[in-house]
Amino acid sequence: MLDLRLTRAARPAVQLRRLLVAAASAGTGFLLLSCLGYALHHPQSAGAAALRLVWCAVPLAATVYLALAVARTDPGTKPRTGLSAVGLGPARLMAISALTTALACTLGSAVALLVFLHLRGDLTGMPFDGAASDFLASGQPLPLPAALTLLALVPATATTTVALSLRPRDPRPTTPGPRRFGRFGAYGHATAKETFGTYGRYGARLSRRTASDGGPPHPHPTGGRTAEAAPAPQESGDLTAPGTEPDSPAPETTWPADTPQPPKDAPAGLPWGITCLTMGLAVHAYDRAALAVLLGWLLIATGLVLAAPGLTHLCGRLLQSTRPGALRLLAGRVLMAEATRIGRPLGVVCAVASAGYAMTTLYAGSAPAFGPLTTLGALLVTGCTVATLLTAAVETRQCRSETTAALLRLGAPASMLRVAAALRAAALLALFGPLTVVVASLAALPVDR
């Protein structure tokens, strides 16, 4: 019951994002059923039907990516204080996220099946006077097992992806560093380096034991002097000069667990992204077949997704160059810290915009006319990518809520935060806008020759 209340009692914005996942699932399910109808109506064109089914992988991937972004921003499944005491630990919250995703995608698949059956005329009369019978196969019986198998692809893939991405992870490092040994007989990591002969020095162990116990030093059993007052003979390996104090231990440089660390180096992926992007453009220049075009755009999209975090990090560095003020410093630091979270969906949007620009503008009528299914697929992919980018922006705002509240408590005006957000958006648009045009021009270059 508590799981149901956490899922049902959500804010309208959260419910709207879930409805967007259901709508995307409905569109993808309808495209899959249309491929089945085309195969039934054209049994002699098995290759064309298989190619249509392969092209459905693009809207399927966009829908799954949107479902994952929505699951990450769901506030009802965030770990909070006291939830583990009532049985809602990290694993249970992950299961709730996966269940919510499965329900939304299943609802969309059911809507897609009802719409497909309605257009076929199985529920009511045949709409559109049979104009769409090419991919509906209205005159033939629909194989229910095949239809249910296709409709189960979106819920199964989205649920599995959410469960694997949000699974509980051990915060401890998986590969600890090399084990070091201190004095003779001591195990584990030594806190300070000890010189040769420290262990056997007269009274060394006794003074440490009394210091750790917090009590006074114990007297020596054979004399009246304490262990601390006993002179310590200098060993051959102890290089500390007489009358000087040993070096103080180095200050603590580790960060607490709850303290956000400053951004480090740029995300590692820019060289691989450039490589995949170059390979995709080479595939486009070599062959213009349908499978080659699909493979080329998949490589281009993969390259942009890999390179976008590094480019976002570069935008942050450029904003802070040449003696920055508080505004540019704040905007640049946020871009550097959130480069991976913002850069990946931004790379997907850049790839989709490049493909759309190349298909509609640069081909100049050499491509075939868009049909209803192609238009639906293009709208579905574009809508999912834009919604994923906006959802990633919401996730970034949620992760930085404590920092924003601290800035407001320190006296930073709210207008300054809004101007910094606008400056970040302008910097990203100034870099990724020309990049989109260049990638689309290079992809359509073999067609123009």
Side-chain angles (χ1 to χ4, degrees):
M1 291 300 296
L2 184 57
D3 302 351
L4 181 61
R5 289 181 180 179
L6 287 176
T7 304
R8 180 173 55 86
R11 294 178 297 177
V14 179
Q15 300 292 357
L16 178 61
R17 291 196 290 267
R18 293 172 181 170
L19 288 179
L20 288 177
V21 174
S25 176
T28 306
F30 185 81
L31 290 176
L32 292 172
L33 291 177
S34 301
C35 294
L36 177 61
Y38 183 85
L40 292 175
H41 191 69
H42 302 84
Q44 71 281 357
S45 303
L51 184 60
R52 284 172 174 257
L53 189 60
V54 169
W55 271 101
C56 287
V58 178
L60 176 62
T63 303
V64 172
Y65 196 34
L66 175 61
L68 178 60
V70 171
R72 285 178 175 174
T73 57
D74 194 349
T77 57
K78 296 293 183 182
R80 285 172 288 181
T81 306
L83 289 182
S84 297
V86 295
L88 291 179
R92 188 72 174 272
L93 293 177
M94 179 271 295
I96 294 176
S97 298
L99 179 61
T100 305
T101 304
L103 290 177
C105 294
T106 304
L107 176 62
S109 298
V111 172
L113 180 60
L114 291 177
V115 173
F116 188 76
L117 293 178
H118 173 70
L119 293 179
R120 277 173 50 90
D122 295 339
L123 301 179
T124 58
M126 184 70 178
F128 306 118
D129 296 330
S133 60
D134 186 42
F135 59 88
L136 294 177
S138 57
Q140 301 179 11
L142 182 67
L144 190 59
L148 294 181
T149 301
L150 290 177
L151 289 176
L153 285 178
V154 180
T157 308
T159 304
T160 305
T161 304
V162 170
L164 291 178
S165 300
L166 302 183
R167 69 185 185 277
R169 294 179 175 86
D170 192 356
R172 295 173 297 181
T174 55
T175 56
R179 194 172 187 179
R180 296 174 298 175
F181 296 91
R183 61 181 183 273
F184 178 76
Y187 298 94
H189 297 279
T191 57
K193 186 177 180 180
E194 295 180 350
T195 56
F196 177 79
T198 305
Y199 178 80
R201 186 175 299 156
Y202 180 76
R205 288 176 54 83
L206 184 60
S207 61
R208 290 176 183 172
R209 185 181 306 169
T210 55
S212 61
D213 296 338
H218 299 284
H220 195 267
T222 58
R225 293 186 301 173
T226 61
E228 289 184 352
Q234 186 174 357
E235 299 288 340
S236 59
D238 192 355
L239 302 180
T240 305
T244 61
E245 297 182 358
D247 296 337
S248 59
E252 184 68 26
T253 57
T254 58
W255 291 78
D258 55 347
T259 304
Q261 300 185 11
K264 297 181 180 180
D265 297 335
L270 186 58
W272 292 104
I274 296 175
T275 303
C276 290
L277 181 60
T278 306
M279 291 174 59
L281 294 175
V283 170
H284 272 279
Y286 182 75
D287 194 1
R288 287 174 47 188
L291 287 178
V293 170
L294 177 60
L295 178 61
W297 279 115
L298 287 179
L299 289 174
I300 290 174
T302 304
L304 290 174
V305 169
L306 292 176
L311 296 178
T312 305
H313 193 275
L314 178 61
C315 281
R317 285 194 175 275
L318 293 178
L319 280 177
Q320 302 174 74
S321 60
T322 64
R323 306 175 70 176
L327 184 62
R328 288 197 295 142
L329 188 63
L330 177 62
R333 281 292 175 176
V334 171
L335 282 181
M336 292 174 63
E338 306 294 337
T340 303
R341 186 178 288 112
I342 299 177
R344 288 175 179 173
L346 193 58
V348 176
V349 171
C350 183
V352 172
S354 300
Y357 184 72
M359 293 291 292
T360 58
T361 304
L362 298 178
Y363 281 172
S366 59
F370 290 164
L373 295 181
T374 307
T375 305
L376 175 62
L379 292 178
L380 180 62
V381 173
T382 304
C384 286
T385 51
V386 174
T388 303
L389 180 60
L390 296 179
T391 307
V394 172
E395 182 184 4
T396 303
R397 184 177 181 182
Q398 291 177 356
C399 295
R400 298 184 59 256
S401 58
E402 297 181 0
T403 304
T404 304
L407 289 175
L408 293 177
R409 286 196 304 268
L410 290 176
S415 60
M416 178 181 177
L417 301 179
R418 290 192 293 267
V419 173
L423 184 59
R424 293 194 298 269
L428 293 176
L429 183 62
L431 178 62
F432 284 93
L435 178 63
T436 301
V437 177
V438 169
V439 171
S441 302
L442 292 177
L445 187 60
V447 182
D448 294 338
R449 290 188 303 179

